[in-house]
Amino acid sequence: MAPLAAAPALSRVRLGTGAFIELALERASYPVEHAAVIYVAGAPDAPAAMTVLREKYCHQLLNTQFSAVGAARDGDTWQVVLAEPQRPIPLPDPDLAGQAALAASNAARAAPRLCGDRMFAAAPPLSLNPALAEAALAHSSDMASKHYFSHQARDGSYAADRAQNAGYAWRIVGENIASGINTPEEAVAGWLESPGHCANIMNPAFTEMGAAYSLNTARRLMYWTQVLAAPR
């Protein structure tokens, strides 16, 4: 097996019994995918502590989901933290994400679809609109930075207000939002499973759209917004 990497941050952190390990490590600026802590008491030195670890915690030490380790000592009590550092979320190219959301939406509109208990006929394809993409990005960014999930922004605005602020003179406007999803295809698929969101995508009155995402880096949570509209 590959050796564990020594991580000074794992040696510095102190974890009490019952502590939420991942949260404590995040506060120590060492975010992880997963982690575990082992306590050894009554070991006067490192060889004695290692003997206990080999005898009682072999399974944890050989767990391949961990790649880093840190140890700390307080008298004859030892703390060993095993962890897998947090991996970055692969972010789609913003322009390509909007185009992919458009393609998935138009693929759905190309055939009749049942949204809840309402049947929609096939609808003409949507086209991308930069102003609607700007409105979508504004709302995704606001939700990500302020960690909320709602069609109403913290400033009280709704999709129609944001489209207007982006310079889009609309006749009709609608909005779909999602969180915890990492690709535009998954976002559209999720919307199609929801009757109200599905109805927005299938609505033949909408002729244009824009879609954008933003990432809350602290919580590793992506927020998606799709704005659908027709101009005056």
Side-chain angles (χ1 to χ4, degrees):
M1 296 175 63
L4 295 167
L10 298 181
S11 299
R12 291 192 297 268
V13 70
R14 296 295 180 268
L15 300 168
T17 303
F20 291 99
I21 304 173
E22 287 82 1
L23 181 58
L25 292 175
E26 182 179 324
R27 289 172 176 167
S29 300
Y30 193 91
V32 296
E33 294 290 335
H34 35 255
V37 59
I38 301 170
Y39 298 101
V40 174
D45 53 31
M50 199 62 226
T51 297
V52 175
L53 290 170
R54 287 194 185 95
E55 291 177 351
K56 295 186 176 181
Y57 301 100
C58 180
H59 177 73
Q60 289 94 321
L61 293 178
L62 297 181
N63 192 328
T64 56
Q65 72 175 339
F66 301 126
S67 62
V69 64
R73 176 185 185 180
D74 183 10
D76 62 358
T77 299
W78 300 74
Q79 173 188 279
V80 178
V81 181
L82 301 163
E84 176 64 25
Q86 191 177 88
R87 295 182 291 272
I89 294 177
L91 299 178
D93 178 274
D95 292 333
L96 295 181
Q99 294 171 16
L102 174 71
S105 298
N106 283 337
R109 286 166 67 95
R113 181 174 295 271
L114 185 66
C115 298
D117 58 1
R118 184 179 176 188
M119 190 68 191
F120 284 84
L126 301 162
S127 59
L128 279 182
N129 181 278
L132 295 179
E134 180 182 336
L137 179 58
H139 192 48
S140 290
S141 299
D142 197 59
M143 289 192 292
S145 64
K146 298 173 183 174
H147 190 49
Y148 70 94
F149 186 70
S150 172
H151 289 287
Q152 183 180 23
R154 286 292 185 255
D155 63 2
S157 66
Y158 285 93
D161 304 306
R162 294 185 285 271
Q164 183 174 323
N165 292 339
Y168 189 91
W170 53 271
R171 177 174 54 81
I172 182 174
V173 64
E175 183 180 74
N176 290 336
I177 57 175
S179 68
I181 294 170
N182 294 344
T183 71
E185 292 84 1
E186 291 172 343
V188 173
W191 290 327
L192 291 172
E193 292 295 319
S194 167
H197 297 93
C198 175
N200 276 343
I201 292 175
M202 296 301 298
N203 190 338
F206 294 135
T207 60
E208 299 178 309
M209 63 154 277
Y213 73 87
S214 187
L215 175 68
N216 180 304
T217 54
R219 291 179 168 82
R220 306 181 78 213
L221 193 62
M222 292 179 72
Y223 291 82
W224 293 83
T225 303
Q226 179 187 39
V227 183
L228 306 106
R232 289 179 191 163

